[in-house]
Amino acid sequence: MPWKNQGGGPWGSGPKGPWGSGPQPVGPRPPDLEDLLRRAQDKLQQLLPGGYFSGLGVAVVLVGALAIWAMSGFYRVQSEELGIVLRFGKYVRDAQPGLNYHLPYPIETVLLPKALRVSTISIGMTLIDDPARRGRTMRDVPEESLMLTGDENIVDVDFTVLWRIKPKGAADYLFNIQNPEGTVKAVAESAMREAVGKSNIQPILTGARTSTELSVQELMQKTLDSYGSGILVQQVQMQKVDPPAQVIDSFRDVQAARADLERLQNEAQTYANRVVPDAKGRAAQILQVAEGYKQQAIAEAKGQSSRFLKVYDEYKKAPDVTRERIYLETMERVLGSSEKLIYDGGGSSSSQGVVPYLPLNELTPRRAPAATTGQPQPPAGVTR
């Protein structure tokens, strides 16, 4: 038939159809599997003694394979890792950092957890990529950070937990808990909520951060030990403790008012500490002066009474002489402190030489008046 000469049917030569040429091969053709097997067999025959699969060749192959299998048991433990050796899936021993050996797979296998590395978990905040700043920024997570205090207030707490695997707890860490980081985060949030729920808002915001951190760390460690987790909580750090954003301005006003109150109280206490001792000192001084005046007055009164009794005894022995002496002593005491002018002119003619207007009283110095009673005067501030 005529179409047979076209070599491709009525539509032309080649593998064509009524719509044009058929599918063409793209790229290199895949190697033939039989060809690859044949080439590998030829190379193996060249390596083996005699060029064929003899008994000695098989033995050499087996010995080489056994040596490679035995050498596969060497492994290296890095400085921050701890090797956990398993024999048929059962824990056998620990491996310290450095070069170690275990029986080849599948007899023994090794796990290499980061047992010596300190990990950090943040609660209440997370790092997100910020394309505008070309870096990472911190974002608050309210569902984790908002907590209820014991006095029914809400506080926003962001904190971090530093933890690591215990030196002898790597096996517990691997086999007793499935998600270590999630477990530590859940336990940390639960412990912080419990500690905040037992305290009032004011101590948490001011001076009770250290005690709160210690209580949370102890509670976390106790809970993780009860799980047999093999985790050691090294530190709990409270990064931010604030009231909710909706009331933080009002809260700051209250804090400022409390600070002013404390300042005024301290100033008043300082003034009281300065004035009260001064007043007590002056009062003690007045009391001591009054006591001294009292003792002095009593002693002088006793002395005068004793003197009077002695004078009276002498008066009974010689009344005239004693009466004269008492009169002279009295006149001396009375006239001794007064101003005196004695003019003994009489009515003789010699008085004509005296100037009648001469201020004789100004020629003599004035004397300070003395107490006529002879009794001591009370000190200032003390009345009789």
Side-chain angles (χ1 to χ4, degrees), residues 359-373:
L360 298 178
N361 58 343
E362 294 182 3
L363 297 179
T364 57
R366 295 181 178 270
R367 298 181 181 179
T372 58
T373 58

PDB file of all heavy atoms in Angstrom, residues 359-373:
ATOM      1  N   PRO A 359      24.612 118.348 144.963  1.00  0.00           N
ATOM      2  CA  PRO A 359      24.024 116.974 144.887  1.00  0.00           C
ATOM      3  C   PRO A 359      24.970 115.967 145.510  1.00  0.00           C
ATOM      4  O   PRO A 359      25.740 115.278 144.806  1.00  0.00           O
ATOM      5  CB  PRO A 359      23.853 116.756 143.395  1.00  0.00           C
ATOM      6  CG  PRO A 359      24.908 117.591 142.762  1.00  0.00           C
ATOM      7  CD  PRO A 359      25.087 118.795 143.655  1.00  0.00           C
ATOM      8  N   LEU A 360      24.905 115.946 146.800  1.00  0.00           N
ATOM      9  CA  LEU A 360      25.834 115.057 147.493  1.00  0.00           C
ATOM     10  C   LEU A 360      25.560 113.570 147.207  1.00  0.00           C
ATOM     11  O   LEU A 360      26.462 112.740 147.280  1.00  0.00           O
ATOM     12  CB  LEU A 360      25.741 115.325 149.000  1.00  0.00           C
ATOM     13  CG  LEU A 360      26.139 116.740 149.428  1.00  0.00           C
ATOM     14  CD1 LEU A 360      25.962 116.891 150.929  1.00  0.00           C
ATOM     15  CD2 LEU A 360      27.560 117.053 149.020  1.00  0.00           C
ATOM     16  N   ASN A 361      24.315 113.246 146.870  1.00  0.00           N
ATOM     17  CA  ASN A 361      24.011 111.817 146.647  1.00  0.00           C
ATOM     18  C   ASN A 361      24.633 111.279 145.365  1.00  0.00           C
ATOM     19  O   ASN A 361      24.794 110.090 145.187  1.00  0.00           O
ATOM     20  CB  ASN A 361      22.506 111.611 146.644  1.00  0.00           C
ATOM     21  CG  ASN A 361      21.819 112.468 145.566  1.00  0.00           C
ATOM     22  OD1 ASN A 361      22.429 113.424 145.059  1.00  0.00           O
ATOM     23  ND2 ASN A 361      20.577 112.134 145.264  1.00  0.00           N
ATOM     24  N   GLU A 362      24.999 112.146 144.413  1.00  0.00           N
ATOM     25  CA  GLU A 362      25.595 111.679 143.165  1.00  0.00           C
ATOM     26  C   GLU A 362      27.098 111.506 143.275  1.00  0.00           C
ATOM     27  O   GLU A 362      27.734 111.020 142.360  1.00  0.00           O
ATOM     28  CB  GLU A 362      25.280 112.656 142.035  1.00  0.00           C
ATOM     29  CG  GLU A 362      23.796 112.723 141.697  1.00  0.00           C
ATOM     30  CD  GLU A 362      23.522 113.675 140.545  1.00  0.00           C
ATOM     31  OE1 GLU A 362      24.531 114.197 140.013  1.00  0.00           O
ATOM     32  OE2 GLU A 362      22.359 113.818 140.166  1.00  0.00           O
ATOM     33  N   LEU A 363      27.692 111.986 144.395  1.00  0.00           N
ATOM     34  CA  LEU A 363      29.132 111.838 144.557  1.00  0.00           C
ATOM     35  C   LEU A 363      29.523 110.434 144.993  1.00  0.00           C
ATOM     36  O   LEU A 363      30.688 110.049 144.900  1.00  0.00           O
ATOM     37  CB  LEU A 363      29.632 112.868 145.593  1.00  0.00           C
ATOM     38  CG  LEU A 363      29.429 114.337 145.188  1.00  0.00           C
ATOM     39  CD1 LEU A 363      29.934 115.245 146.312  1.00  0.00           C
ATOM     40  CD2 LEU A 363      30.146 114.648 143.890  1.00  0.00           C
ATOM     41  N   THR A 364      28.594 109.695 145.504  1.00  0.00           N
ATOM     42  CA  THR A 364      28.901 108.332 145.956  1.00  0.00           C
ATOM     43  C   THR A 364      28.363 107.341 144.933  1.00  0.00           C
ATOM     44  O   THR A 364      27.270 107.543 144.362  1.00  0.00           O
ATOM     45  CB  THR A 364      28.241 108.059 147.318  1.00  0.00           C
ATOM     46  OG1 THR A 364      26.838 108.259 147.214  1.00  0.00           O
ATOM     47  CG2 THR A 364      28.804 109.009 148.370  1.00  0.00           C
ATOM     48  N   PRO A 365      29.095 106.255 144.632  1.00  0.00           N
ATOM     49  CA  PRO A 365      28.596 105.254 143.652  1.00  0.00           C
ATOM     50  C   PRO A 365      27.389 104.526 144.187  1.00  0.00           C
ATOM     51  O   PRO A 365      27.281 104.259 145.377  1.00  0.00           O
ATOM     52  CB  PRO A 365      29.806 104.333 143.470  1.00  0.00           C
ATOM     53  CG  PRO A 365      30.587 104.471 144.726  1.00  0.00           C
ATOM     54  CD  PRO A 365      30.395 105.889 145.188  1.00  0.00           C
ATOM     55  N   ARG A 366      26.507 104.230 143.242  1.00  0.00           N
ATOM     56  CA  ARG A 366      25.294 103.485 143.632  1.00  0.00           C
ATOM     57  C   ARG A 366      25.642 102.006 143.808  1.00  0.00           C
ATOM     58  O   ARG A 366      26.417 101.432 143.048  1.00  0.00           O
ATOM     59  CB  ARG A 366      24.206 103.618 142.569  1.00  0.00           C
ATOM     60  CG  ARG A 366      23.699 105.041 142.409  1.00  0.00           C
ATOM     61  CD  ARG A 366      22.595 105.070 141.354  1.00  0.00           C
ATOM     62  NE  ARG A 366      22.063 106.414 141.233  1.00  0.00           N
ATOM     63  CZ  ARG A 366      21.031 106.882 141.951  1.00  0.00           C
ATOM     64  NH1 ARG A 366      20.478 106.091 142.868  1.00  0.00           N
ATOM     65  NH2 ARG A 366      20.592 108.098 141.795  1.00  0.00           N
ATOM     66  N   ARG A 367      25.068 101.407 144.772  1.00  0.00           N
ATOM     67  CA  ARG A 367      25.263  99.985 145.046  1.00  0.00           C
ATOM     68  C   ARG A 367      24.019  99.200 144.640  1.00  0.00           C
ATOM     69  O   ARG A 367      22.901  99.661 144.808  1.00  0.00           O
ATOM     70  CB  ARG A 367      25.551  99.755 146.535  1.00  0.00           C
ATOM     71  CG  ARG A 367      26.826 100.433 147.007  1.00  0.00           C
ATOM     72  CD  ARG A 367      27.047 100.128 148.468  1.00  0.00           C
ATOM     73  NE  ARG A 367      28.255 100.784 148.956  1.00  0.00           N
ATOM     74  CZ  ARG A 367      28.678 100.691 150.219  1.00  0.00           C
ATOM     75  NH1 ARG A 367      27.979  99.966 151.105  1.00  0.00           N
ATOM     76  NH2 ARG A 367      29.789 101.297 150.594  1.00  0.00           N
ATOM     77  N   ALA A 368      24.275  98.022 144.123  1.00  0.00           N
ATOM     78  CA  ALA A 368      23.133  97.183 143.721  1.00  0.00           C
ATOM     79  C   ALA A 368      22.400  96.736 144.952  1.00  0.00           C
ATOM     80  O   ALA A 368      23.009  96.311 145.940  1.00  0.00           O
ATOM     81  CB  ALA A 368      23.641  95.965 142.943  1.00  0.00           C
ATOM     82  N   PRO A 369      21.086  96.838 144.913  1.00  0.00           N
ATOM     83  CA  PRO A 369      20.315  96.420 146.087  1.00  0.00           C
ATOM     84  C   PRO A 369      20.453  94.933 146.325  1.00  0.00           C
ATOM     85  O   PRO A 369      20.378  94.124 145.384  1.00  0.00           O
ATOM     86  CB  PRO A 369      18.882  96.810 145.722  1.00  0.00           C
ATOM     87  CG  PRO A 369      18.856  96.841 144.234  1.00  0.00           C
ATOM     88  CD  PRO A 369      20.210  97.283 143.807  1.00  0.00           C
ATOM     89  N   ALA A 370      20.669  94.568 147.541  1.00  0.00           N
ATOM     90  CA  ALA A 370      20.795  93.152 147.898  1.00  0.00           C
ATOM     91  C   ALA A 370      19.543  92.698 148.599  1.00  0.00           C
ATOM     92  O   ALA A 370      18.772  93.491 149.139  1.00  0.00           O
ATOM     93  CB  ALA A 370      22.014  92.946 148.801  1.00  0.00           C
ATOM     94  N   ALA A 371      19.355  91.375 148.609  1.00  0.00           N
ATOM     95  CA  ALA A 371      18.172  90.819 149.285  1.00  0.00           C
ATOM     96  C   ALA A 371      18.321  91.031 150.770  1.00  0.00           C
ATOM     97  O   ALA A 371      19.355  90.753 151.359  1.00  0.00           O
ATOM     98  CB  ALA A 371      18.047  89.331 148.954  1.00  0.00           C
ATOM     99  N   THR A 372      17.271  91.571 151.338  1.00  0.00           N
ATOM    100  CA  THR A 372      17.283  91.858 152.769  1.00  0.00           C
ATOM    101  C   THR A 372      16.972  90.653 153.599  1.00  0.00           C
ATOM    102  O   THR A 372      17.228  90.629 154.790  1.00  0.00           O
ATOM    103  CB  THR A 372      16.258  92.965 153.075  1.00  0.00           C
ATOM    104  OG1 THR A 372      14.972  92.523 152.628  1.00  0.00           O
ATOM    105  CG2 THR A 372      16.624  94.239 152.335  1.00  0.00           C
ATOM    106  N   THR A 373      16.439  89.644 152.958  1.00  0.00           N
ATOM    107  CA  THR A 373      16.030  88.465 153.733  1.00  0.00           C
ATOM    108  C   THR A 373      17.175  87.505 153.926  1.00  0.00           C
ATOM    109  O   THR A 373      17.162  86.692 154.839  1.00  0.00           O
ATOM    110  CB  THR A 373      14.870  87.739 153.034  1.00  0.00           C
ATOM    111  OG1 THR A 373      15.301  87.372 151.720  1.00  0.00           O
ATOM    112  CG2 THR A 373      13.672  88.647 152.942  1.00  0.00           C
TER     113      THR A 373
END
